Amino acid sequence: MLNRLQIRRLLWAGALAVIAAGAVYLFVMDPHKPGRFPSCPFWSLTGFHCPGCGSLRALHCLMHGHVGAAASRNILALLLLPVAAYGAIIDFTEGRPIIMGRRSIKLPRLPSKTPLVLLAVIMAYWVIRNLPWYPFTLLAPQG
């Protein structure tokens, strides 16, 4: 029988394997070319961009070193990557200090209201990126 820590480690190993496989696939397969990935169902049904529209293209551009092009696809996805990575590190370490050589670093936990703030930011981005006036039109995925 597996204990809680072993189950947690297995889940993290599985998640990292899936993320790595997805990253390799996204690096190799260009989402700019039609037919490689399905189109956004929300956009297909409504004609409006969801908060995630352009994220695959943005990540593909970022992996190839094209930061400006990535930002023009989905700026929010790029801005939330460090937050997601930090949250994953905190969850993975369970708040324990990280040992780096002779030093150990204790990362502070994210505030308890972080999920609500992120939800509010994502919802606002969803509305604002669909407004038909400049400068809001810059938030719609380009390319």
Coordinates of all heavy atoms in Angstrom, one line a residue, residues 56-116:
L56 N -1.4 28.0 -27.3 CA -0.5 27.0 -27.9 C 0.5 27.7 -28.8 O 1.7 27.4 -28.8 CB -1.3 26.0 -28.7 CG -2.0 24.9 -27.8 CD1 -2.8 24.0 -28.7 CD2 -1.0 24.1 -27.0
R57 N 0.0 28.6 -29.6 CA 0.9 29.4 -30.6 C 1.9 30.2 -29.8 O 3.0 30.3 -30.1 CB 0.0 30.2 -31.5 CG -0.7 29.4 -32.5 CD -1.6 30.2 -33.4 NE -2.8 30.5 -32.7 CZ -3.6 31.5 -32.8 NH1 -3.3 32.4 -33.8 NH2 -4.7 31.7 -32.1
A58 N 1.4 30.8 -28.7 CA 2.3 31.6 -27.8 C 3.4 30.7 -27.2 O 4.6 31.1 -27.2 CB 1.5 32.3 -26.7
L59 N 3.0 29.6 -26.7 CA 4.1 28.7 -26.1 C 5.0 28.2 -27.2 O 6.2 28.0 -26.9 CB 3.4 27.5 -25.4 CG 2.6 27.9 -24.1 CD1 1.9 26.7 -23.5 CD2 3.6 28.5 -23.1
H60 N 4.5 27.8 -28.3 CA 5.4 27.4 -29.4 C 6.4 28.5 -29.8 O 7.6 28.2 -29.9 CB 4.5 27.0 -30.7 CG 5.3 26.6 -31.8 ND1 5.8 25.3 -32.0 CD2 5.7 27.3 -33.0 CE1 6.5 25.3 -33.1 NE2 6.4 26.4 -33.7
C61 N 5.9 29.7 -29.9 CA 6.8 30.8 -30.2 C 7.8 31.0 -29.1 O 9.0 31.3 -29.4 CB 6.0 32.1 -30.4 SG 5.0 32.2 -31.9
L62 N 7.4 31.0 -27.9 CA 8.3 31.1 -26.7 C 9.4 30.1 -26.7 O 10.5 30.4 -26.5 CB 7.5 31.1 -25.4 CG 8.2 31.5 -24.2 CD1 8.7 32.9 -24.2 CD2 7.3 31.2 -23.0
M63 N 9.0 28.8 -27.0 CA 10.0 27.7 -27.0 C 11.0 27.9 -28.2 O 12.1 27.4 -28.1 CB 9.3 26.4 -27.2 CG 8.6 25.9 -25.9 SD 8.1 24.2 -26.0 CE 6.4 24.3 -26.5
H64 N 10.6 28.7 -29.2 CA 11.6 28.9 -30.3 C 12.3 30.3 -30.1 O 12.9 30.7 -31.0 CB 10.8 28.8 -31.6 CG 10.5 27.4 -32.0 ND1 11.4 26.6 -32.6 CD2 9.4 26.7 -31.7 CE1 10.8 25.4 -32.8 NE2 9.6 25.4 -32.2
G65 N 12.1 30.9 -29.0 CA 12.8 32.2 -28.6 C 12.2 33.4 -29.2 O 12.8 34.5 -29.2
H66 N 10.9 33.3 -29.7 CA 10.3 34.5 -30.2 C 9.3 35.1 -29.2 O 8.1 34.9 -29.3 CB 9.5 34.1 -31.5 CG 10.4 33.4 -32.5 ND1 11.4 34.0 -33.2 CD2 10.3 32.1 -33.0 CE1 12.0 33.2 -34.0 NE2 11.3 32.0 -33.9
V67 N 9.8 35.9 -28.3 CA 9.1 36.4 -27.1 C 8.0 37.4 -27.6 O 6.9 37.3 -27.2 CB 10.0 37.0 -26.1 CG1 9.2 37.6 -24.9 CG2 11.0 36.0 -25.6
G68 N 8.4 38.3 -28.5 CA 7.4 39.3 -29.0 C 6.2 38.6 -29.7 O 5.1 39.0 -29.5
A69 N 6.5 37.6 -30.6 CA 5.5 36.9 -31.3 C 4.6 36.1 -30.3 O 3.4 36.1 -30.4 CB 6.1 35.9 -32.3
A70 N 5.2 35.6 -29.2 CA 4.5 34.9 -28.2 C 3.5 35.8 -27.5 O 2.4 35.5 -27.2 CB 5.4 34.2 -27.2
A71 N 4.0 37.0 -27.2 CA 3.2 38.0 -26.5 C 2.0 38.4 -27.3 O 0.9 38.7 -26.8 CB 4.0 39.2 -26.1
S72 N 2.2 38.5 -28.6 CA 1.1 38.9 -29.5 C 0.0 37.8 -29.7 O -1.1 38.1 -30.1 CB 1.6 39.3 -30.9 OG 2.0 38.2 -31.6
R73 N 0.3 36.6 -29.3 CA -0.6 35.5 -29.4 C -1.5 35.4 -28.1 O -2.7 35.3 -28.2 CB 0.1 34.2 -29.6 CG 0.3 33.7 -31.0 CD 1.1 34.7 -31.7 NE 1.5 34.2 -33.1 CZ 2.3 34.8 -33.8 NH1 2.8 35.9 -33.4 NH2 2.6 34.3 -35.0
N74 N -0.9 35.5 -26.9 CA -1.6 35.5 -25.7 C -0.7 36.0 -24.6 O 0.1 35.2 -24.0 CB -2.1 34.1 -25.4 CG -3.1 34.1 -24.2 OD1 -3.0 34.9 -23.3 ND2 -4.1 33.3 -24.3
I75 N -0.8 37.3 -24.3 CA 0.1 37.9 -23.3 C -0.2 37.3 -21.9 O 0.7 37.2 -21.1 CB 0.0 39.4 -23.3 CG1 1.0 40.1 -22.4 CG2 -1.4 39.9 -23.0 CD1 2.4 40.0 -22.9
L76 N -1.5 37.0 -21.6 CA -1.8 36.6 -20.3 C -1.2 35.2 -20.0 O -0.7 35.0 -18.9 CB -3.3 36.5 -20.1 CG -3.8 36.1 -18.7 CD1 -3.4 37.2 -17.7 CD2 -5.3 35.9 -18.6
A77 N -1.1 34.3 -21.0 CA -0.5 33.0 -20.8 C 1.0 33.2 -20.4 O 1.5 32.5 -19.5 CB -0.6 32.2 -22.1
L78 N 1.6 34.1 -21.1 CA 3.0 34.3 -20.8 C 3.2 34.9 -19.4 O 4.2 34.5 -18.7 CB 3.7 35.3 -21.8 CG 3.7 34.8 -23.2 CD1 4.4 35.8 -24.1 CD2 4.4 33.4 -23.3
L79 N 2.3 35.8 -19.0 CA 2.5 36.4 -17.7 C 2.1 35.5 -16.5 O 2.7 35.6 -15.4 CB 1.5 37.7 -17.6 CG 1.9 38.8 -18.5 CD1 0.8 39.9 -18.4 CD2 3.3 39.4 -18.2
L80 N 1.3 34.5 -16.8 CA 0.9 33.5 -15.8 C 1.8 32.3 -15.7 O 1.8 31.6 -14.7 CB -0.5 33.0 -16.0 CG -1.6 34.1 -15.8 CD1 -3.0 33.4 -15.9 CD2 -1.5 34.7 -14.4
L81 N 2.7 32.1 -16.6 CA 3.7 31.0 -16.6 C 4.5 31.1 -15.3 O 4.7 30.0 -14.6 CB 4.6 31.0 -17.8 CG 4.0 30.3 -19.0 CD1 4.9 30.4 -20.2 CD2 3.7 28.8 -18.8
P82 N 5.1 32.2 -15.0 CA 6.0 32.2 -13.7 C 5.1 32.0 -12.5 O 5.6 31.3 -11.6 CB 6.5 33.6 -13.7 CG 6.4 34.2 -15.1 CD 5.3 33.5 -15.7
V83 N 3.9 32.5 -12.5 CA 3.0 32.2 -11.3 C 2.7 30.7 -11.2 O 2.8 30.2 -10.1 CB 1.7 33.0 -11.4 CG1 0.8 32.7 -10.3 CG2 2.0 34.5 -11.5
A84 N 2.4 30.1 -12.3 CA 2.1 28.7 -12.3 C 3.3 27.9 -11.9 O 3.2 26.9 -11.1 CB 1.6 28.2 -13.7
A85 N 4.5 28.2 -12.4 CA 5.7 27.5 -12.1 C 6.0 27.7 -10.6 O 6.4 26.7 -9.9 CB 6.9 28.0 -12.9
Y86 N 5.9 28.9 -10.1 CA 6.1 29.1 -8.6 C 5.1 28.3 -7.8 O 5.5 27.7 -6.8 CB 6.0 30.6 -8.3 CG 6.4 31.0 -6.9 CD1 7.7 31.1 -6.5 CD2 5.4 31.1 -5.9 CE1 8.1 31.4 -5.2 CE2 5.7 31.4 -4.6 CZ 7.1 31.6 -4.3 OH 7.4 31.9 -3.0
G87 N 3.9 28.3 -8.1 CA 2.9 27.5 -7.4 C 3.2 26.1 -7.4 O 3.0 25.4 -6.4
A88 N 3.7 25.6 -8.6 CA 4.0 24.1 -8.7 C 5.2 23.8 -7.8 O 5.2 22.8 -7.2 CB 4.3 23.8 -10.2
I89 N 6.2 24.7 -7.8 CA 7.4 24.5 -6.9 C 7.0 24.4 -5.5 O 7.4 23.6 -4.7 CB 8.5 25.5 -7.2 CG1 9.1 25.3 -8.6 CG2 9.6 25.5 -6.1 CD1 9.9 26.5 -9.1
I90 N 6.1 25.4 -5.1 CA 5.6 25.4 -3.7 C 4.9 24.1 -3.3 O 5.1 23.5 -2.3 CB 4.8 26.6 -3.4 CG1 5.5 27.9 -3.5 CG2 4.0 26.6 -2.1 CD1 6.6 28.1 -2.5
D91 N 4.0 23.7 -4.2 CA 3.3 22.5 -4.0 C 4.2 21.3 -4.0 O 4.0 20.4 -3.1 CB 2.2 22.3 -5.1 CG 1.3 21.2 -4.8 OD1 0.6 21.2 -3.7 OD2 1.2 20.2 -5.5
F92 N 5.1 21.2 -4.9 CA 6.0 20.1 -4.9 C 6.9 19.9 -3.7 O 7.1 18.9 -3.1 CB 6.9 20.2 -6.2 CG 7.9 19.0 -6.3 CD1 7.5 17.8 -6.7 CD2 9.2 19.2 -6.0 CE1 8.3 16.7 -6.9 CE2 10.1 18.1 -6.1 CZ 9.7 16.9 -6.6
T93 N 7.4 21.1 -3.2 CA 8.3 21.1 -2.0 C 7.5 21.0 -0.7 O 8.0 20.8 0.4 CB 9.2 22.3 -2.0 OG1 8.4 23.5 -1.9 CG2 10.1 22.3 -3.2
E94 N 6.1 21.2 -0.8 CA 5.3 21.2 0.4 C 5.7 22.2 1.4 O 5.6 22.0 2.6 CB 5.2 19.8 1.0 CG 4.5 18.8 0.1 CD 4.4 17.4 0.7 OE1 5.3 17.0 1.5 OE2 3.4 16.8 0.5
G95 N 6.3 23.3 0.9 CA 6.7 24.4 1.9 C 8.0 24.2 2.5 O 8.4 25.0 3.3
R96 N 8.7 23.0 2.3 CA 10.0 22.8 2.9 C 11.0 23.6 2.2 O 10.9 24.0 1.0 CB 10.3 21.3 2.8 CG 9.4 20.4 3.6 CD 9.9 19.0 3.5 NE 10.1 18.5 2.2 CZ 9.2 17.8 1.5 NH1 8.0 17.5 2.1 NH2 9.4 17.3 0.3
P97 N 12.1 23.9 2.9 CA 13.2 24.7 2.3 C 13.8 23.9 1.1 O 13.9 22.7 1.1 CB 14.2 24.9 3.4 CG 13.5 24.6 4.7 CD 12.4 23.7 4.3
I98 N 14.3 24.6 0.1 CA 15.0 24.1 -1.0 C 16.5 24.2 -0.8 O 17.0 25.3 -0.5 CB 14.6 24.8 -2.3 CG1 13.1 24.7 -2.6 CG2 15.4 24.2 -3.5 CD1 12.6 25.5 -3.7
I99 N 17.2 23.1 -0.8 CA 18.6 23.1 -0.5 C 19.4 23.3 -1.9 O 19.2 22.6 -2.8 CB 19.1 21.8 0.2 CG1 18.4 21.7 1.5 CG2 20.6 21.8 0.3 CD1 18.5 20.4 2.2
M100 N 20.2 24.4 -1.9 CA 21.0 24.7 -3.1 C 22.4 24.9 -2.6 O 22.8 25.9 -2.1 CB 20.5 26.0 -3.7 CG 19.0 26.0 -4.1 SD 18.4 27.5 -4.8 CE 19.2 27.4 -6.5
G101 N 23.2 23.8 -2.8 CA 24.6 23.8 -2.3 C 24.6 23.8 -0.8 O 24.0 23.0 -0.1
R102 N 25.3 24.8 -0.2 CA 25.3 25.0 1.2 C 24.2 25.8 1.8 O 24.1 25.9 3.0 CB 26.7 25.6 1.6 CG 27.9 24.8 1.3 CD 29.1 25.5 1.7 NE 30.3 24.9 1.1 CZ 31.5 25.3 1.3 NH1 31.7 26.2 2.1 NH2 32.5 24.6 0.7
R103 N 23.4 26.4 1.0 CA 22.3 27.3 1.4 C 21.0 26.6 1.2 O 20.8 25.7 0.4 CB 22.3 28.6 0.6 CG 23.6 29.3 0.8 CD 23.7 30.6 0.0 NE 22.5 31.4 0.3 CZ 22.1 32.4 -0.4 NH1 22.7 32.7 -1.5 NH2 21.1 33.2 0.0
S104 N 20.0 27.0 2.0 CA 18.7 26.5 1.8 C 17.8 27.7 1.7 O 18.0 28.7 2.4 CB 18.2 25.6 3.0 OG 18.1 26.3 4.2
I105 N 16.8 27.6 0.9 CA 15.9 28.8 0.6 C 14.5 28.3 0.9 O 14.0 27.2 0.5 CB 16.0 29.2 -0.9 CG1 17.4 29.6 -1.2 CG2 15.0 30.3 -1.2 CD1 17.6 29.8 -2.7
K106 N 13.8 29.1 1.8 CA 12.4 28.8 2.1 C 11.5 29.7 1.3 O 11.6 30.9 1.5 CB 12.1 28.9 3.6 CG 10.7 28.6 3.9 CD 10.6 27.9 5.2 CE 9.2 27.7 5.7 NZ 8.3 26.8 4.9
L107 N 10.8 29.2 0.3 CA 10.0 30.1 -0.5 C 8.7 30.4 0.2 O 8.0 29.4 0.7 CB 9.7 29.4 -1.9 CG 10.9 29.0 -2.7 CD1 10.5 28.2 -3.9 CD2 11.6 30.3 -3.2
P108 N 8.2 31.6 0.2 CA 7.0 31.9 0.8 C 5.8 31.4 0.0 O 5.8 31.3 -1.2 CB 6.9 33.4 0.9 CG 7.9 33.9 -0.2 CD 8.9 32.8 -0.3
R109 N 4.8 31.0 0.7 CA 3.6 30.5 0.0 C 2.8 31.6 -0.6 O 2.9 32.8 -0.2 CB 2.6 29.8 1.0 CG 3.2 28.5 1.6 CD 2.1 27.7 2.2 NE 2.5 26.3 2.5 CZ 2.5 25.3 1.7 NH1 2.1 25.4 0.5 NH2 2.9 24.1 2.1
L110 N 2.1 31.3 -1.6 CA 1.2 32.3 -2.3 C 0.1 32.7 -1.3 O -0.4 31.8 -0.6 CB 0.7 31.8 -3.6 CG 1.7 31.5 -4.7 CD1 1.1 30.8 -5.9 CD2 2.3 32.9 -5.2
P111 N -0.4 33.9 -1.4 CA -1.5 34.3 -0.5 C -2.7 33.5 -0.8 O -2.9 33.0 -1.9 CB -1.7 35.8 -0.9 CG -0.5 36.2 -1.5 CD 0.2 35.1 -2.1
S112 N -3.5 33.3 0.2 CA -4.7 32.4 0.1 C -5.7 33.0 -0.9 O -6.5 32.2 -1.5 CB -5.4 32.2 1.4 OG -5.9 33.5 1.9
K113 N -5.7 34.3 -1.2 CA -6.6 34.8 -2.2 C -6.1 34.8 -3.6 O -6.8 35.2 -4.5 CB -6.9 36.3 -1.8 CG -7.6 36.4 -0.5 CD -8.1 37.8 -0.3 CE -8.8 37.8 1.1 NZ -9.8 38.8 1.3
T114 N -4.9 34.2 -3.8 CA -4.4 34.1 -5.2 C -5.3 33.5 -6.2 O -5.5 34.0 -7.3 CB -3.0 33.4 -5.1 OG1 -2.1 34.1 -4.3 CG2 -2.4 33.3 -6.5
P115 N -5.9 32.3 -5.9 CA -6.9 31.8 -6.9 C -8.0 32.7 -7.3 O -8.3 32.8 -8.4 CB -7.4 30.5 -6.2 CG -6.4 30.1 -5.2 CD -5.8 31.4 -4.7
L116 N -8.6 33.4 -6.3 CA -9.6 34.4 -6.6 C -9.1 35.5 -7.4 O -9.8 36.0 -8.4 CB -10.3 34.9 -5.3 CG -11.1 33.8 -4.5 CD1 -11.6 34.4 -3.2 CD2 -12.3 33.4 -5.4

